[in-house]
Amino acid sequence: MTLKFDVVVIGAGPGGYVAAIKAAQLGLKTACIEKYQDKDNKVALGGTCLNVGCIPSKALLDSSWKYHEAQEGFAVHGITAKSVSIDVPAMIARKAQIVKNLTGGIAGLFKANGVTLLEGHGKLLAGKQVEVTGSDGSVTLVQAENVIIASGSKPIDIPPAPVDQEVIVDSTGALEFQSVPKKLGVIGAGVIGLELGSVWARLGAEVTVIEAQDKFLPAADELIAKEALKTLTKQGLSIRLGARLTASEVKKKQVTVSFTDAEGEQQMTFDKLIVAVGRRPVTTDLLAADCEVTLDERGYIYVDDYCATSVPGVYAVGDVVRGPMLAHKASEEGIMVAERIAGHKAQMNYDLIPGVIYTHPEIAWVGKNEQQLKAEGVEINVGTFPFAASGRAMAANDTGGLVKVIADAKTDRVLGVHVIGPSAAELVQQGAIAMEFGTSAEDLGMMVFSHPTLSEALHEAALAVNGQAIHIANRKKR
Ligand code: FAD
Ligand code: AMP
């Protein structure tokens, strides 16, 4: 028997589950296929983000930050916390419980919205048929009017450091350590490497990050990246730029890595090594040879600006297609596609996808950075405001970092908001909202911001764009 649906979604990560819920809400008969099984061999929804990505990493970042604060941040407030200790298995168990609550919540949302969950591996056949193979080998055929592929991504492996999930781990393994490694190596100073490196550094690991590129955080605004490198280094992360891993050897539960940098061949030994060199799209055994969906030259499913593949009625969203590998990007693409299938003229603003690195302080941005705008020949005005001048940041003893607002010199339209500092992710979202409505720096400057808040730093940076900041000396106009 072939099951029939208006929409079949392959993958229940933030791209797929959101698309499925939205499609069902729009009155479409919808199924979602998911194969991922948790440690209890039960299918768990939520994809990378909920199971082994955004959520568990933030749970550990929050736990480790509290420990770090109790150890080093309390004294200044006059608080003495004697013999603070960390129970790593309890911290990991708390994380696991949060994951369980959230993934179970998605199953509840599927039920509430009438989405049919099909457990198993989905493969797109010709003619918008999807074959679902259960973990017991049973095969079900599903016929869809529309298919949304949301199969996500997985960690890239590199031959010099084969992951064994014991001594050499990927991001998933790094969320499961049961004790704090004394010496931790991290390959890759990208978002994931810095976040996971921070977790274990805060708990006492001596962390070395080995990064092939000479430039730190090349996607960030240069001023913010410079501040981030200074701050993270001060926190004890040893970040070795221009260092390319060439080999590793595991012996007696330790790993010795070889890398080359400007000074030549180097070797270091660690108790654990996290390989965080990026992620690649998942397309294995996903597309039958005759299904006619094509990949681009980098192995992502080829889609247009509306996430339509080369086959009418077949769409792809999230990490498996071009663009930043971010949960919110995946979800918004899922919404756009569901709405388009339902006949709405939905589209997505790819220019305003915020990016966040959840270190402390957080690093976040939206829109374009100074070096991009200069390369495009756009004349800009820049306003910055340091948290060191924020009363709220002082009260919280969290004064590191700054807000930078970039506006078009001719129109004053805000083109980018870049923050390193406390609650940067939340502050940048204010910038994203303002920019979506085409705000000028002057508009932002004229708004009333509550006092005392961290948000005032955004207000002041917007005022500074036109030399009108109140709580910091304005730079003289050139
Ligand atoms: P995924 O979440 O990867 O989901 C794809 C799903 O499809 C999986 O459940 C998979 O099992 C299933 N699947 C694949 N193939 C098939 C098939 N053939 N049949 C059935 N099911 C299939 N992003 C952020 O925005 N913020 C963060 O803070 C953040 N932190 C992260 C931290 C870490 C450690 C990692 C690894 C990632 C993080 N990300 C973060 C990235 C984020 O997790 C991804 O961008 C997001 O999960 C992509 O969503 P997706 O739906 O495209 O794919
Ligand atoms: P991201 O793509 O943001 O997750 O970052 C991954 C980082 O890993 C990039 O900055 C890469 O330059 C870095 N990287 C990739 N391969 C290697 C390698 N062999 N040695 C060191 N760093 C690497």
Side-chain angles (χ1 to χ4, degrees):
M1 192 190 69
T2 306
L3 301 171
K4 290 201 170 122
F5 290 94
D6 296 325
V7 178
V8 168
V9 184
I10 304 178
Y17 85 73
V18 170
I21 290 173
K22 187 72 193 176
Q25 287 174 347
L26 291 167
L28 300 160
K29 191 180 173 208
T30 305
C32 185
I33 307 169
E34 177 58 64
K35 65 175 175 186
Y36 177 81
Q37 296 188 343
D38 62 16
K39 284 184 189 142
D40 304 327
N41 295 328
K42 295 223 170 74
V43 166
L45 309 179
T48 302
C49 177
L50 269 64
N51 289 287
V52 292
C54 329
I55 298 297
S57 59
K58 264 81 264 178
L60 298 189
L61 279 157
D62 284 343
S63 295
S64 58
W65 182 249
K66 284 190 192 297
Y67 174 74
H68 174 83
E69 276 288 272
Q71 284 219 312
E72 297 186 16
F74 280 9
V76 71
H77 297 279
I79 304 170
T80 313
K82 286 198 181 118
S83 67
V84 175
S85 63
I86 179 81
D87 176 346
V88 175
M91 179 183 83
I92 300 290
R94 184 192 88 99
K95 172 220 63 168
Q97 189 57 48
I98 295 166
V99 168
K100 203 167 179 187
N101 294 349
L102 283 171
T103 56
I106 309 257
L109 289 173
F110 272 12
K111 280 203 187 94
N113 286 283
V115 175
T116 303
L117 172 63
L118 301 173
E119 297 187 354
H121 175 97
K123 180 173 182 174
L124 180 68
L125 310 180
K128 290 185 281 188
Q129 282 211 324
V130 183
E131 178 189 81
V132 186
T133 308
S135 53
D136 58 358
S138 61
V139 175
T140 311
L141 270 188
V142 185
Q143 179 67 53
E145 288 292 322
N146 301 278
V147 176
I148 305 175
I149 303 171
S151 52
S153 63
K154 62 182 201 178
I156 293 175
D157 334 287
I158 45 169
V163 167
D164 57 20
Q165 296 299 28
E166 176 89 26
V167 179
I168 304 181
V169 301
D170 58 18
S171 57
T172 303
L175 298 167
E176 296 295 334
F177 293 163
Q178 295 295 319
S179 60
V180 181
K182 200 161 172 298
K183 288 188 180 212
L184 173 66
V186 179
I187 310 298
V191 178
I192 295 175
L194 292 176
E195 289 187 0
L196 294 173
S198 294
V199 165
W200 297 104
R202 290 169 190 172
L203 299 179
E206 200 181 296
V207 178
T208 304
V209 184
I210 294 169
E211 166 57 54
Q213 298 190 66
D214 294 324
K215 210 171 162 188
F216 186 60
L217 293 180
D221 185 274
E222 276 169 7
L223 179 68
I224 304 290
K226 203 170 132 204
E227 183 72 17
L229 182 58
K230 201 172 79 191
T231 309
L232 295 173
T233 304
K234 219 163 116 193
Q235 287 174 6
L237 291 187
S238 164
I239 300 171
R240 315 270 300 239
L241 298 173
R244 179 166 285 280
L245 183 80
T246 51
S248 66
E249 191 186 4
V250 177
K251 248 195 215 158
K252 292 189 192 151
K253 303 222 163 179
Q254 283 198 318
V255 52
T256 299
V257 302
S258 307
F259 58 95
T260 44
D261 65 9
E263 280 142 39
E265 280 284 333
Q266 312 280 348
Q267 283 204 328
M268 287 184 86
T269 299
F270 303 111
D271 302 303
K272 298 270 185 199
L273 182 69
I274 304 174
V275 181
V277 295
R279 299 180 59 84
R280 62 182 173 80
V282 169
T283 53
T284 315
D285 201 24
L286 177 71
L287 305 168
D290 58 354
C291 80
E292 292 181 358
V293 167
T294 52
L295 304 184
D296 68 17
E297 68 287 356
R298 294 168 62 218
Y300 292 82
I301 294 181
Y302 170 77
V303 288
D304 66 11
D305 290 349
Y306 305 103
C307 292
T309 68
S310 38
V311 177
V314 179
Y315 304 83
V317 300
D319 283 9
V320 77
V321 304
R322 82 284 173 270
M325 285 185 163
L326 293 168
H328 41 285
K329 175 260 192 188
S331 296
E332 288 309 316
E333 286 183 333
I335 300 265
M336 169 176 74
V337 167
E339 289 186 337
R340 292 184 76 82
I341 290 172
H344 302 277
K345 286 202 174 97
Q347 58 180 21
M348 190 171 148
N349 186 354
Y350 282 95
D351 292 335
L352 292 184
I353 300 174
V356 183
I357 309 174
Y358 291 86
T359 44
H360 196 103
E362 290 177 354
I363 302 158
W365 63 85
V366 64
K368 293 197 173 163
N369 60 41
E370 185 165 342
Q371 64 269 21
Q372 280 169 332
L373 289 162
K374 282 191 171 153
E376 289 172 16
V378 181
E379 275 184 53
I380 54 171
N381 285 328
V382 172
T384 59
F385 189 81
F387 285 102
S390 153
R392 191 72 192 87
M394 279 182 221
N397 191 38
D398 209 353
T399 51
L402 69 138
V403 177
K404 173 170 177 176
V405 174
I406 309 176
D408 188 302
K410 292 199 183 83
T411 64
D412 197 39
R413 188 179 174 132
V414 176
L415 302 176
V417 174
H418 305 265
V419 183
I420 173 167
S423 301
E426 310 292 342
L427 297 189
V428 153
Q429 195 58 45
Q430 300 180 21
I433 296 168
M435 287 166 73
E436 192 68 58
F437 289 99
T439 195
S440 65
E442 188 186 26
D443 291 334
L444 262 183
M446 288 194 309
M447 284 174 201
V448 182
F449 281 67
S450 317
H451 176 74
T453 55
L454 296 170
S455 303
E456 287 171 305
L458 175 64
H459 191 209
E460 288 279 356
L463 286 166
V465 167
N466 293 305
Q468 292 167 356
I470 299 293
H471 293 93
I472 192 94
N474 288 291
R475 268 193 291 177
K476 294 213 169 57
K477 283 248 165 197
R478 277 160 283 175

